Amino acid sequence: MSMVPHGGDLAAAEARWGRPAEGWLDLSTGINPAPYPIPPIDPAAWHRLPQHDRLRKLLEAAQTCYGAPADAPIVAAPGTQILIQLLPRLRPGARVAILGPTYGEHAACWSAEGASAATVGSLEEAAAAEVVVLVNPNNPDGRIIGSKHLLALADDLAARGGLLVVDEAFAEVAPAASVAVAAGRPGLLILRSFGKFFGLAGIRLGLALGTTAEIDRLARWLGPWAVPGPAIEVGIAALSDRGWQDETRARLSADAARLTNLLTDHGFSDRGGTGLFRLVEHPEAARVWDRLGRAGILVRPFPDRPALLRFGLPGDGFARLAAALG
Amino acid sequence: MSMVPHGGDLAAAEARWGRPAEGWLDLSTGINPAPYPIPPIDPAAWHRLPQHDRLRKLLEAAQTCYGAPADAPIVAAPGTQILIQLLPRLRPGARVAILGPTYGEHAACWSAEGASAATVGSLEEAAAAEVVVLVNPNNPDGRIIGSKHLLALADDLAARGGLLVVDEAFAEVAPAASVAVAAGRPGLLILRSFGKFFGLAGIRLGLALGTTAEIDRLARWLGPWAVPGPAIEVGIAALSDRGWQDETRARLSADAARLTNLLTDHGFSDRGGTGLFRLVEHPEAARVWDRLGRAGILVRPFPDRPALLRFGLPGDGFARLAAALG
């Protein structure tokens, strides 16, 4: 099991605080609280092996949704996490720079596979690396690095056999920041997550776009039928539903602003974030975290940066959050 | 993409024969045609990250269903195929003997990872191997090797750091053949597939049982949240439903006997199989395959053994199959 701290583990929260009578308000992840409605699923999607033609349709819907070229090599996996686990095998033993602080699994997975993985605070410090990994917009602080800068970095890395990994887990709420339009370019590997923006993290669906050589290797390692039939069907529907996506982007943006206001009104300092979560600082963050936990509201602490907390969007739980903040 | 031939690809069948007006009768896999009914799924299972406590419940249900010790190390994956892809990393570069002919992915995956993988016709020929892989009961011929023999082999391999991989993909229909009761024993790694017996191949759920050392490594490579929330919930329900399992075993056994009778009545020779499929020989197997395909009935040919065909159970399609066989 992973030793990286994560949000979203309600059993652990219950072990600490007990089960709240009104249920958990889980703000410990960056998952859209109003998920894409599960469409009716053909029973054949559960029964049969996943079908190649349906998978192809999913990949095409993803390319279109992300604004990637129609011929950009792309592979789907049962969750972005499994792709993150496989990436180190693309460059065994590489010198890796991870732009941090960021999502902890990147460093953990490269290190576990024997890479020399260093977390760096700026791209300048990454100059000697063969592989550069960054999350854009970043989790948890929402930092965005411009596309021009990223593509130049990918070109530079490609020229010496290296790789730029851009984890766009939250790019649906910042589409202008995405480099998906350049997918297929040498030296560039893009990760996309389905579950966060579409609010369906349980479904496990992640995608990678890159060069033919890299994507073919990932596909071979995943093997045939890596994505479940129901996930393929839900993915096709959601990735093709531009109306829902546009409305959701607007709603998330408004809700994130509302969350920021609520938190700053309660003595937090805004430290960034995205349309799916906010990072805030508070001199007594640990005490607030515990008080919220007792009230059945789970937020994300950072053991090594104890003044910070990350809040996901409360959906219809704004009033409850406001009451618990006092 | 895998180069191993498989059943179940309806798009490929349609490219060859067109789409049958009455729909496909797909007998090209070993999947139970009458699946476990999908229970109502808590929307939270789609929305949230898969929860550790629910995964734990799934693993316990699997241990009980398979007759494994309650403390047997076990890991769940999104399909057995992904486990087969990972196994070679447990013994990099090993000399591997695969008892064949059998499911093609085993040899393909070990070879792809740089192992020296030889298909052998008997366990005697496997004496020098560090890893022995076999499917029990075997696909496609249903050959069963007795538990005593297997456990002695596992002990022998363990004594020299080796590993016996027993793929029990079809063991639900031959429970007496399973070595799951010995799970945890050094040198023994057992694979179990959820989709075939429960008729839910689209869900992608596979399990491995073995020693703590092997299972921990597989779990680390899969990472957290490898199994989707809906698959966890359906798996818990189905693996715990002993009544459905017993009825299904009886029905499958009766249907397999009925299928054998139908095929031998039509000039096929029975070459073995399990309660989920039958392997038969026919001097004009290629012609029969094509005739069935034109009638919308897909069966599994074996390019390197052209006189053989494998038939899955037709469910409520016996009359249609009989008519097509002429």
Side-chain angles (χ1 to χ4, degrees):
Chain A
M1 286 296 148
S2 169
M3 292 296 107
V4 178
H6 292 292
D9 187 354
L10 298 182
E14 284 179 19
R16 178 182 295 265
W17 291 298
R19 183 185 298 236
E22 64 278 56
W24 284 102
L25 179 59
D26 181 10
L27 311 183
S28 68
T29 69
I31 299 166
N32 175 359
Y36 188 80
I38 300 290
I41 296 172
D42 184 341
W46 298 91
H47 171 56
R48 286 182 182 148
L49 283 167
Q51 296 291 306
H52 297 161
D53 57 335
R54 299 303 292 170
L55 177 62
R56 176 42 45 199
K57 210 171 165 68
L58 171 74
L59 298 177
E60 287 166 5
Q63 286 166 328
T64 304
C65 176
Y66 301 152
D71 61 351
I74 180 169
V75 64
T80 309
Q81 178 65 31
I82 279 192
L83 292 167
I84 293 175
Q85 306 270 152
L86 289 174
L87 289 186
R89 305 187 65 201
L90 291 175
R91 292 291 187 283
R95 279 194 314 281
V96 181
I98 293 155
L99 190 59
T102 192
Y103 182 62
E105 290 286 346
H106 286 292
C109 289
W110 284 94
S111 298
E113 293 286 337
S116 126
T119 298
V120 299
S122 73
L123 287 179
E124 289 66 37
E125 297 169 62
E130 296 156 302
V131 174
V132 176
V133 180
L134 53 87
V135 182
N136 207 46
N138 192 41
N139 170 11
D141 63 7
R143 179 207 56 227
I144 289 178
I145 298 179
S147 299
K148 236 187 208 168
H149 197 154
L150 292 181
L151 297 183
L153 178 57
D155 289 349
D156 177 48
L157 285 159
R160 43 201 175 92
L163 194 63
L164 172 64
V165 176
V166 184
D167 179 348
E168 297 190 341
F170 298 97
E172 279 84 354
V173 290
S178 173
V179 288
V181 67
R185 191 182 184 108
L188 179 63
L189 195 129
I190 303 164
L191 299 177
R192 300 287 300 221
S193 293
F194 177 79
K196 295 174 176 76
F197 175 71
F198 290 100
L200 295 169
I203 216 174
R204 311 311 298 136
L205 180 57
L207 298 108
L209 300 101
T211 62
T212 303
E214 319 283 13
I215 296 302
D216 279 1
R217 294 177 77 194
L218 292 172
R220 271 203 307 278
W221 292 331
L222 289 163
W225 321 299
V227 179
I232 292 176
E233 297 306 319
V234 175
I236 291 171
L239 290 163
S240 308
D241 192 341
R242 185 58 64 103
W244 186 93
Q245 294 166 25
D246 289 343
E247 282 166 32
T248 297
R249 243 186 301 273
R251 179 180 52 75
L252 292 173
S253 169
D255 279 6
R258 189 176 164 198
L259 176 61
T260 301
N261 287 340
L262 176 67
L263 294 174
T264 52
D265 282 354
H266 283 84
F268 293 86
S269 306
D270 187 46
R271 291 290 175 255
T274 72
L276 281 162
F277 56 81
R278 301 309 300 174
L279 182 70
V280 289
E281 187 166 348
H282 193 285
E284 300 185 54
R287 200 179 49 73
V288 174
W289 174 74
D290 186 61
R291 176 145 53 88
L292 291 174
R294 286 174 204 280
I297 300 174
L298 193 59
V299 301
R300 172 80 153 82
F302 295 86
D304 54 345
R305 285 168 293 161
L308 295 178
L309 292 174
R310 194 188 64 191
F311 285 69
L313 299 185
D316 54 13
F318 267 103
R320 184 173 165 193
L321 174 60
L325 289 170
Chain B
M1 288 296 148
S2 167
M3 291 297 106
V4 178
H6 292 292
D9 187 354
L10 298 183
E14 284 180 19
R16 178 182 293 266
W17 291 297
R19 183 184 299 235
E22 64 277 57
W24 284 104
L25 178 61
D26 182 9
L27 310 184
S28 69
T29 70
I31 300 165
N32 175 359
Y36 188 79
I38 301 291
I41 296 172
D42 184 342
W46 298 91
H47 172 56
R48 285 182 184 148
L49 283 167
Q51 296 293 306
H52 296 162
D53 57 335
R54 299 303 292 169
L55 178 61
R56 176 45 44 204
K57 210 172 166 67
L58 172 73
L59 298 177
E60 287 166 4
Q63 287 166 328
T64 304
C65 176
Y66 301 152
D71 62 352
I74 179 169
V75 64
T80 309
Q81 178 65 32
I82 280 192
L83 293 166
I84 293 175
Q85 306 268 152
L86 290 173
L87 289 186
R89 305 187 67 200
L90 291 175
R91 293 291 187 283
R95 277 194 316 279
V96 182
I98 293 155
L99 190 58
T102 191
Y103 183 62
E105 290 286 347
H106 286 291
C109 289
W110 284 94
S111 298
E113 293 287 337
S116 126
T119 298
V120 299
S122 73
L123 287 178
E124 289 65 36
E125 297 169 60
E130 296 156 304
V131 174
V132 176
V133 180
L134 53 87
V135 182
N136 207 46
N138 192 43
N139 171 11
D141 61 7
R143 179 206 56 227
I144 289 178
I145 297 178
S147 298
K148 235 186 206 169
H149 197 153
L150 292 181
L151 297 183
L153 178 57
D155 290 349
D156 177 48
L157 285 159
R160 46 203 173 91
L163 194 63
L164 172 65
V165 176
V166 183
D167 180 348
E168 297 191 340
F170 297 97
E172 280 84 353
V173 290
S178 173
V179 289
V181 66
R185 191 181 184 109
L188 179 63
L189 194 129
I190 303 165
L191 298 178
R192 300 287 301 219
S193 293
F194 177 79
K196 295 175 177 76
F197 175 72
F198 291 100
L200 294 169
I203 215 173
R204 311 312 297 137
L205 180 57
L207 297 109
L209 299 102
T211 63
T212 303
E214 318 284 13
I215 297 301
D216 280 1
R217 295 177 76 196
L218 291 172
R220 271 204 307 279
W221 292 331
L222 288 163
W225 321 300
V227 179
I232 292 176
E233 297 307 319
V234 175
I236 291 171
L239 290 164
S240 307
D241 191 341
R242 185 58 63 102
W244 186 91
Q245 293 166 25
D246 289 342
E247 281 166 33
T248 298
R249 242 184 301 273
R251 180 181 51 76
L252 292 173
S253 169
D255 279 6
R258 188 176 164 199
L259 176 61
T260 300
N261 287 340
L262 176 67
L263 294 173
T264 51
D265 281 355
H266 282 83
F268 293 87
S269 306
D270 187 46
R271 291 290 175 253
T274 73
L276 282 162
F277 56 81
R278 302 307 301 173
L279 182 70
V280 290
E281 189 167 348
H282 193 286
E284 298 184 55
R287 201 179 48 75
V288 174
W289 174 75
D290 185 61
R291 176 147 52 89
L292 291 174
R294 287 174 204 278
I297 300 174
L298 194 59
V299 301
R300 173 79 152 84
F302 295 86
D304 54 346
R305 285 168 292 161
L308 296 178
L309 292 174
R310 194 188 65 190
F311 284 71
L313 299 185
D316 54 12
F318 268 102
R320 185 173 164 192
L321 175 60
L325 288 170

